[in-house]
Structures are given as structure tokens and as C-alpha cells.
Amino acid sequence: MVAHTTWLRYIASKIDYSISLSWKTYRRGQVTDTELVDTVWKNLFQGKMTYLHWNKGEQMAPTVGAQGGTLLVRKIPVADPTRVYVGDVVVLKDPMNTEKYLVRRLAAIEGYEMASTDEKDEPFVLEKDQCWVVVDNENLKPKQEAYDSRTFGPVSMTDIIGRVIYCLRTAVDHGPVNNSHFSARKDLPVLEVELDVDEMAKNHKA
């Protein structure tokens, strides 16, 4: 049973999501001025703020099992430093192949100074709307085995489409994903309302 206060927080999150998504489609010219308000209401009452995503490979182990995992992802229509935070596990477009998606941890955002352990690499500062993402698996060698910003460099925040809030590795091994403190608070009502472990298990491919 979901508490009333949780429902109120969930509705507030849904309103913010609906406005952000509608404004994004409006700016792209996909809806007109007269259609904007109707689009906000449509996004508010139809659909969920989450979707299921299958991720495989050892890049994000142990957060996501090496054999793969079914992820519950919170949609983020407009990714910026007020909606995604350092420490979050995010889904983003692969900068080397935009038809594919990666699951990586957000390690730095605009304004952060990046320094490498390799003396050949010059320090630099992430520019506006840039971010740095890394794998969780510390056993992978940077630039050789680990496929992240150490290989392809900074990525645009606009490439982030969602935040992973729950992971099902097996039917008996599942739970919330360890994200930033700020995101954990924001995602809690969404998790309580939209999480369906049975549905995740049905869609699990392992």
C-alpha cells in the first residue's frame, strides 16, 4: 500500500516530467502552441515515467551482473545538472553508435577539472553540457577493456535519456541501484508506485 504522501510526491514528479517532455517536443516543432497544453495533460495521464531495459556484459559489474540484468529506468526528457547528478547510473546514447545505448555511471559534469594518471594526457575542464561517464567494473583496464569516457572522451548531457533506479540480476537477486543521495530521494516515490518485480522477472532474458 503506497502512502498518501508518496502519491503526492509521485504526482509532483509526474507533473514535472510531463511539462519537461511536452516542452521538449514543442521546441523540436513536433507540437504547436495550441497543442502544447493538451500534450502536457496527455503526458500526465498516459504512460509511465519508467521503462525496462536489458543490459548485458561485465562493464557495469557488480551493479549489473556480468551475465546481464533487467533494469528499471526512469525517463529523463531533459538531462541537466538539476536532474542528473554525479554518482548516478544513467542510460545514454553510445557516442560511437547512436543507435545503441550504454549504461554507465556519471562521474563528472560541466566545470569539473579532469586529470589523468597518464602523464601524456593534459588536464582539461568539462565544458557546458558536457559530462564524463565510467564503467563500474574496476577490474577492466582503462582505454583497453573499459568502454567509457576514458576511451571516447566527454559526452553531451543531452545524450542521457534515463537513470537506472532498480536492477534485477536474477529472480532472487534484485534491488535498488546505488545512485546519488539527491536522486535516491527523487526516485523513491517513482520506485514505490511503478516498480513491478514480477513484470521485470517476466522480461528477464538470463
Side-chain angles (χ1 to χ4, degrees), residues 10 14 17 43 46-51 75 193-196 199:
Y10 173 78
K14 193 75 180 288
Y17 164 78
N43 290 329
Q46 294 183 4
K48 295 183 176 181
M49 285 191 288
T50 59
Y51 68 95
K75 302 172 189 175
V193 173
E194 297 195 4
L195 175 64
D196 186 338
E199 182 66 21

PDB file of all heavy atoms in Angstrom, residues 10 14 17 43 46-51 75 193-196 199:
ATOM      1  N   TYR A  10       4.841  11.560  -5.958  1.00  0.00           N
ATOM      2  CA  TYR A  10       4.838  10.921  -7.278  1.00  0.00           C
ATOM      3  C   TYR A  10       4.123  11.802  -8.297  1.00  0.00           C
ATOM      4  O   TYR A  10       4.611  12.003  -9.417  1.00  0.00           O
ATOM      5  CB  TYR A  10       4.159   9.554  -7.201  1.00  0.00           C
ATOM      6  CG  TYR A  10       3.964   8.898  -8.551  1.00  0.00           C
ATOM      7  CD1 TYR A  10       5.030   8.277  -9.206  1.00  0.00           C
ATOM      8  CD2 TYR A  10       2.717   8.913  -9.178  1.00  0.00           C
ATOM      9  CE1 TYR A  10       4.852   7.681 -10.450  1.00  0.00           C
ATOM     10  CE2 TYR A  10       2.536   8.312 -10.412  1.00  0.00           C
ATOM     11  CZ  TYR A  10       3.607   7.707 -11.044  1.00  0.00           C
ATOM     12  OH  TYR A  10       3.414   7.126 -12.277  1.00  0.00           O
ATOM     13  N   LYS A  14       5.472  13.507 -11.654  1.00  0.00           N
ATOM     14  CA  LYS A  14       4.821  13.244 -12.951  1.00  0.00           C
ATOM     15  C   LYS A  14       4.488  14.557 -13.659  1.00  0.00           C
ATOM     16  O   LYS A  14       4.620  14.662 -14.883  1.00  0.00           O
ATOM     17  CB  LYS A  14       3.542  12.423 -12.718  1.00  0.00           C
ATOM     18  CG  LYS A  14       2.935  11.816 -13.996  1.00  0.00           C
ATOM     19  CD  LYS A  14       3.735  10.626 -14.462  1.00  0.00           C
ATOM     20  CE  LYS A  14       3.148  10.015 -15.742  1.00  0.00           C
ATOM     21  NZ  LYS A  14       1.887   9.308 -15.522  1.00  0.00           N
ATOM     22  N   TYR A  17       7.728  15.894 -15.037  1.00  0.00           N
ATOM     23  CA  TYR A  17       8.090  15.064 -16.194  1.00  0.00           C
ATOM     24  C   TYR A  17       7.243  15.442 -17.418  1.00  0.00           C
ATOM     25  O   TYR A  17       7.770  15.598 -18.528  1.00  0.00           O
ATOM     26  CB  TYR A  17       7.883  13.592 -15.852  1.00  0.00           C
ATOM     27  CG  TYR A  17       7.861  12.663 -17.041  1.00  0.00           C
ATOM     28  CD1 TYR A  17       9.042  12.276 -17.673  1.00  0.00           C
ATOM     29  CD2 TYR A  17       6.651  12.178 -17.536  1.00  0.00           C
ATOM     30  CE1 TYR A  17       9.026  11.429 -18.763  1.00  0.00           C
ATOM     31  CE2 TYR A  17       6.622  11.327 -18.627  1.00  0.00           C
ATOM     32  CZ  TYR A  17       7.810  10.950 -19.238  1.00  0.00           C
ATOM     33  OH  TYR A  17       7.776  10.116 -20.324  1.00  0.00           O
ATOM     34  N   ASN A  43       0.572  13.651 -21.512  1.00  0.00           N
ATOM     35  CA  ASN A  43       1.754  13.032 -20.907  1.00  0.00           C
ATOM     36  C   ASN A  43       1.565  12.770 -19.424  1.00  0.00           C
ATOM     37  O   ASN A  43       2.145  11.839 -18.865  1.00  0.00           O
ATOM     38  CB  ASN A  43       2.984  13.920 -21.108  1.00  0.00           C
ATOM     39  CG  ASN A  43       3.435  13.971 -22.550  1.00  0.00           C
ATOM     40  OD1 ASN A  43       3.267  13.014 -23.298  1.00  0.00           O
ATOM     41  ND2 ASN A  43       4.025  15.091 -22.957  1.00  0.00           N
ATOM     42  N   GLN A  46      -1.159   9.598 -19.314  1.00  0.00           N
ATOM     43  CA  GLN A  46      -0.898   8.382 -20.084  1.00  0.00           C
ATOM     44  C   GLN A  46       0.539   7.914 -19.889  1.00  0.00           C
ATOM     45  O   GLN A  46       1.469   8.707 -19.893  1.00  0.00           O
ATOM     46  CB  GLN A  46      -1.157   8.617 -21.577  1.00  0.00           C
ATOM     47  CG  GLN A  46      -2.619   8.880 -21.909  1.00  0.00           C
ATOM     48  CD  GLN A  46      -2.838   9.029 -23.411  1.00  0.00           C
ATOM     49  OE1 GLN A  46      -1.928   8.866 -24.203  1.00  0.00           O
ATOM     50  NE2 GLN A  46      -4.068   9.349 -23.782  1.00  0.00           N
ATOM     51  N   GLY A  47       0.699   6.629 -19.734  1.00  0.00           N
ATOM     52  CA  GLY A  47       2.036   6.066 -19.654  1.00  0.00           C
ATOM     53  C   GLY A  47       2.701   6.229 -18.302  1.00  0.00           C
ATOM     54  O   GLY A  47       2.172   6.826 -17.375  1.00  0.00           O
ATOM     55  N   LYS A  48       3.907   5.675 -18.231  1.00  0.00           N
ATOM     56  CA  LYS A  48       4.687   5.707 -17.000  1.00  0.00           C
ATOM     57  C   LYS A  48       5.924   6.587 -17.162  1.00  0.00           C
ATOM     58  O   LYS A  48       6.271   6.984 -18.261  1.00  0.00           O
ATOM     59  CB  LYS A  48       5.133   4.286 -16.629  1.00  0.00           C
ATOM     60  CG  LYS A  48       4.001   3.337 -16.268  1.00  0.00           C
ATOM     61  CD  LYS A  48       4.566   1.991 -15.860  1.00  0.00           C
ATOM     62  CE  LYS A  48       3.471   1.046 -15.396  1.00  0.00           C
ATOM     63  NZ  LYS A  48       4.034  -0.276 -14.970  1.00  0.00           N
ATOM     64  N   MET A  49       6.588   6.824 -16.043  1.00  0.00           N
ATOM     65  CA  MET A  49       7.848   7.570 -16.071  1.00  0.00           C
ATOM     66  C   MET A  49       9.043   6.632 -16.165  1.00  0.00           C
ATOM     67  O   MET A  49      10.191   7.070 -16.150  1.00  0.00           O
ATOM     68  CB  MET A  49       7.980   8.440 -14.815  1.00  0.00           C
ATOM     69  CG  MET A  49       7.107   9.677 -14.824  1.00  0.00           C
ATOM     70  SD  MET A  49       7.541  10.807 -13.486  1.00  0.00           S
ATOM     71  CE  MET A  49       6.908   9.917 -12.076  1.00  0.00           C
ATOM     72  N   THR A  50       8.772   5.325 -16.239  1.00  0.00           N
ATOM     73  CA  THR A  50       9.851   4.353 -16.288  1.00  0.00           C
ATOM     74  C   THR A  50       9.656   3.385 -17.448  1.00  0.00           C
ATOM     75  O   THR A  50       8.562   3.278 -18.009  1.00  0.00           O
ATOM     76  CB  THR A  50       9.926   3.534 -14.985  1.00  0.00           C
ATOM     77  OG1 THR A  50       8.662   2.862 -14.781  1.00  0.00           O
ATOM     78  CG2 THR A  50      10.231   4.420 -13.795  1.00  0.00           C
ATOM     79  N   TYR A  51      10.724   2.679 -17.795  1.00  0.00           N
ATOM     80  CA  TYR A  51      10.649   1.607 -18.789  1.00  0.00           C
ATOM     81  C   TYR A  51      11.696   0.559 -18.433  1.00  0.00           C
ATOM     82  O   TYR A  51      12.600   0.806 -17.622  1.00  0.00           O
ATOM     83  CB  TYR A  51      10.876   2.141 -20.207  1.00  0.00           C
ATOM     84  CG  TYR A  51      12.276   2.639 -20.487  1.00  0.00           C
ATOM     85  CD1 TYR A  51      13.228   1.816 -21.071  1.00  0.00           C
ATOM     86  CD2 TYR A  51      12.657   3.942 -20.147  1.00  0.00           C
ATOM     87  CE1 TYR A  51      14.514   2.267 -21.323  1.00  0.00           C
ATOM     88  CE2 TYR A  51      13.945   4.401 -20.405  1.00  0.00           C
ATOM     89  CZ  TYR A  51      14.866   3.560 -20.995  1.00  0.00           C
ATOM     90  OH  TYR A  51      16.139   4.005 -21.233  1.00  0.00           O
ATOM     91  N   LYS A  75      12.738   7.709 -16.960  1.00  0.00           N
ATOM     92  CA  LYS A  75      12.952   8.555 -18.138  1.00  0.00           C
ATOM     93  C   LYS A  75      13.331   9.972 -17.725  1.00  0.00           C
ATOM     94  O   LYS A  75      12.760  10.526 -16.787  1.00  0.00           O
ATOM     95  CB  LYS A  75      11.667   8.615 -18.983  1.00  0.00           C
ATOM     96  CG  LYS A  75      11.166   7.259 -19.457  1.00  0.00           C
ATOM     97  CD  LYS A  75       9.798   7.406 -20.109  1.00  0.00           C
ATOM     98  CE  LYS A  75       9.156   6.082 -20.412  1.00  0.00           C
ATOM     99  NZ  LYS A  75       7.768   6.240 -20.927  1.00  0.00           N
ATOM    100  N   VAL A 193       5.719   3.458  -6.660  1.00  0.00           N
ATOM    101  CA  VAL A 193       4.485   3.397  -7.443  1.00  0.00           C
ATOM    102  C   VAL A 193       4.637   2.511  -8.688  1.00  0.00           C
ATOM    103  O   VAL A 193       3.739   1.726  -9.020  1.00  0.00           O
ATOM    104  CB  VAL A 193       4.030   4.815  -7.856  1.00  0.00           C
ATOM    105  CG1 VAL A 193       2.833   4.745  -8.810  1.00  0.00           C
ATOM    106  CG2 VAL A 193       3.667   5.632  -6.624  1.00  0.00           C
ATOM    107  N   GLU A 194       5.767   2.603  -9.372  1.00  0.00           N
ATOM    108  CA  GLU A 194       5.883   1.958 -10.680  1.00  0.00           C
ATOM    109  C   GLU A 194       6.674   0.652 -10.692  1.00  0.00           C
ATOM    110  O   GLU A 194       6.662  -0.062 -11.693  1.00  0.00           O
ATOM    111  CB  GLU A 194       6.494   2.938 -11.695  1.00  0.00           C
ATOM    112  CG  GLU A 194       5.626   4.168 -11.926  1.00  0.00           C
ATOM    113  CD  GLU A 194       6.013   4.952 -13.172  1.00  0.00           C
ATOM    114  OE1 GLU A 194       6.904   4.510 -13.920  1.00  0.00           O
ATOM    115  OE2 GLU A 194       5.410   6.020 -13.404  1.00  0.00           O
ATOM    116  N   LEU A 195       7.362   0.308  -9.606  1.00  0.00           N
ATOM    117  CA  LEU A 195       8.126  -0.936  -9.587  1.00  0.00           C
ATOM    118  C   LEU A 195       7.210  -2.155  -9.585  1.00  0.00           C
ATOM    119  O   LEU A 195       6.307  -2.262  -8.768  1.00  0.00           O
ATOM    120  CB  LEU A 195       9.034  -0.976  -8.346  1.00  0.00           C
ATOM    121  CG  LEU A 195       9.812  -2.290  -8.126  1.00  0.00           C
ATOM    122  CD1 LEU A 195      10.796  -2.545  -9.255  1.00  0.00           C
ATOM    123  CD2 LEU A 195      10.526  -2.254  -6.777  1.00  0.00           C
ATOM    124  N   ASP A 196       7.460  -3.080 -10.514  1.00  0.00           N
ATOM    125  CA  ASP A 196       6.728  -4.343 -10.593  1.00  0.00           C
ATOM    126  C   ASP A 196       7.774  -5.442 -10.825  1.00  0.00           C
ATOM    127  O   ASP A 196       8.154  -5.716 -11.971  1.00  0.00           O
ATOM    128  CB  ASP A 196       5.715  -4.310 -11.731  1.00  0.00           C
ATOM    129  CG  ASP A 196       4.819  -5.540 -11.761  1.00  0.00           C
ATOM    130  OD1 ASP A 196       5.222  -6.580 -11.207  1.00  0.00           O
ATOM    131  OD2 ASP A 196       3.724  -5.478 -12.356  1.00  0.00           O
ATOM    132  N   GLU A 199       6.824  -8.278 -13.200  1.00  0.00           N
ATOM    133  CA  GLU A 199       6.904  -7.890 -14.612  1.00  0.00           C
ATOM    134  C   GLU A 199       8.361  -7.887 -15.075  1.00  0.00           C
ATOM    135  O   GLU A 199       8.673  -8.313 -16.195  1.00  0.00           O
ATOM    136  CB  GLU A 199       6.290  -6.496 -14.805  1.00  0.00           C
ATOM    137  CG  GLU A 199       6.267  -6.008 -16.244  1.00  0.00           C
ATOM    138  CD  GLU A 199       5.349  -6.818 -17.139  1.00  0.00           C
ATOM    139  OE1 GLU A 199       4.430  -7.494 -16.617  1.00  0.00           O
ATOM    140  OE2 GLU A 199       5.553  -6.786 -18.368  1.00  0.00           O
TER     141      GLU A 199
END
